Amino acid sequence: MAGRPRVFVARVIPEDGLRAVVEACDARVWEDELPPPREELLRAIEGCDGVLTLLTDRVDDEFLDRAGPQLRVVSNYAVGFDNVDVAACTRRGVAVGNTPGVLTDTTADLAWTLLMAAARRVPEGDRYVRGGRWKTWGPMLLLGPDVHGATLGIVGFGRIGQAVARRAMGFGMTILYHDVARLPSEIEGPLGAAFVPLDELLGRADFVSLHVNLTPETRHLMNAERLGWMKPSAVLVNTSRGPVVDPKSLYEALRDGVIFAAALDVTDPEPIPTDDPLLTLDNCLVVPHIASASRGTRGKMAAMAAANLLAGVRGVRLPTPVNPEVYEGR
Ligand code: DGY
């Protein structure tokens, strides 16, 4: 590579990372609030050595073809990377980076915010007050389930799932989890978490919080059948990826009282259309994919994504590669 590496940064990210990229590279930064339209993105990455992508940018064979054979790194500004065809990148020797770890606690905080807000009907209460309907204290007004002492079922017991469990300990909850395999007792033990089959978890939990990656196996994991296994009093929280829940089945389950409430940070599609039936329901709380949106965490994600990008364009191993196999045989 002659001169400074050429990179495209697909959105303005916090200075904590952007500055380093702009100083070290011949960088073009997409400055709009909305993601680059596909054709603009494909044009912008032509001839780049590295691209900093967001979860809204699809990285596939077409992307890699248009970027060209000199492309060395795709640094995704997210811990999730379901927008990236990792196998296609690996085949072409392109390193892929993500931002694990730094957003774990912030995401767990939001899962808890949603859990409590849905249980205690906070958004409904706020609408009730603003709508001028608050006339008196009412013994039956906006009743919901207790959180303390309840049973929490965590589906996907990785870093974020475990951080959600740690918070549940303070609420004296019984913690059940399900994952592809049982975790070692060093992890389970201190959290007092019990591994159970998914059907048992869904049948016993008062709160179900989803923390799986989006894969072909987890797409529509929460379908009509599995929603039907939940208690009618249960609350479903999703801070993972929208397509993990089948939206039509969720709508029907919430409408028909199959479950009590849902709280979603992620939807399918994203953004959720304003005329989506889910938005007509009082027992469905939706926020716009903000689980990692604290100033501190977004800064750390930016620094990490920049470090991955810069390592990649310099031909050095990424600090947090998603496809370490890309280095095999080098
Ligand atoms: C991620 O990192 O995968 C989140 O969805 C956005 O922070």
Side-chain angles (χ1 to χ4, degrees):
M1 180 197 326
R4 281 150 52 97
R6 195 159 149 212
V7 302
F8 179 66
V9 179
R11 215 82 65 78
V12 175
I13 59 168
E15 271 296 296
D16 315 53
L18 194 57
R19 196 178 321 114
V21 172
V22 170
E23 277 170 14
C25 304
D26 171 8
R28 175 166 173 220
V29 181
W30 184 260
E31 294 193 344
D32 286 14
E33 194 191 334
L34 295 178
R38 183 72 178 169
E39 193 44 46
E40 295 256 19
L41 173 69
L42 296 179
R43 249 200 312 275
I45 62 174
E46 276 171 13
C48 280
D49 304 295
V51 184
L52 194 149
T53 50
L54 275 69
L55 49 85
T56 40
D57 307 309
R58 200 174 71 251
V59 178
D60 54 10
D61 276 311
E62 181 189 38
F63 178 107
L64 297 165
D65 284 341
R66 284 291 285 274
Q70 77 300 323
L71 183 72
R72 299 183 115 172
V73 58
V74 170
S75 172
N76 210 39
Y77 180 75
V79 65
F81 46 84
D82 47 280
N83 57 310
V84 180
D85 182 342
V86 178
C89 291
T90 306
R91 278 196 300 275
R92 297 171 191 237
V94 174
V96 179
N98 70 338
T99 65
V102 291
L103 47 74
T104 300
D105 283 305
T106 303
T107 302
D109 287 349
L110 189 92
W112 264 89
T113 307
L114 294 179
L115 184 156
M116 297 197 74
R120 301 306 304 275
R121 306 174 65 173
V122 173
E124 272 182 270
D126 183 70
R127 287 194 291 272
Y128 187 83
V129 173
R130 288 169 200 266
R133 283 177 282 152
W134 186 19
K135 305 292 181 215
T136 184
W137 184 88
M140 307 304 284
L141 181 60
L142 290 170
L143 304 186
D146 268 322
V147 175
H148 68 272
T151 297
L152 172 63
I154 300 175
V155 183
F157 210 52
R159 280 179 297 258
I160 299 172
Q162 291 169 35
V164 169
R166 274 197 294 282
R167 286 152 177 76
M169 294 169 78
F171 284 82
M173 296 177 100
T174 299
I175 303 166
L176 308 175
Y177 78 91
H178 182 76
D179 209 319
V180 283
R182 184 173 175 172
L183 276 97
S185 52
E186 304 88 82
I187 296 178
E188 280 184 351
L191 295 168
F195 176 81
V196 290
L198 184 58
D199 56 349
E200 182 178 337
L201 180 149
L202 295 175
R204 285 176 57 194
D206 300 302
F207 298 92
V208 174
S209 193
L210 304 176
H211 300 285
V212 292
N213 293 331
L214 176 62
T215 64
E217 291 72 40
T218 62
R219 182 173 291 274
H220 288 193
L221 177 73
M222 294 308 293
N223 55 16
E225 185 186 6
R226 295 202 179 95
L227 288 162
W229 295 345
M230 291 174 66
K231 295 183 186 176
S233 54
V235 174
L236 179 70
V237 178
N238 190 10
T239 54
S240 61
R241 285 291 184 262
V244 172
V245 179
D246 169 15
K248 183 169 174 289
S249 302
L250 178 64
Y251 168 73
E252 289 166 1
L254 290 167
R255 181 198 61 192
D256 300 344
V258 175
I259 65 172
F260 176 67
L264 312 175
D265 179 45
V266 287
T267 58
D268 180 23
E270 259 177 42
I272 189 168
T274 49
D275 62 354
D276 190 292
L278 280 169
L279 298 182
T280 64
L281 299 173
D282 259 340
N283 57 349
C284 187
L285 156 55
V286 186
V287 295
H289 203 149
I290 53 170
S292 65
S294 75
R295 276 186 280 278
T297 290
R298 287 288 165 84
K300 287 180 196 154
M301 288 169 66
M304 210 165 188
N308 278 328
L309 185 73
L310 294 179
V313 294
R314 289 169 183 151
V316 175
R317 188 186 170 95
L318 308 196
T320 53
V322 165
N323 57 347
E325 59 277 13
V326 79
Y327 300 111
E328 277 164 25
R330 276 198 186 172

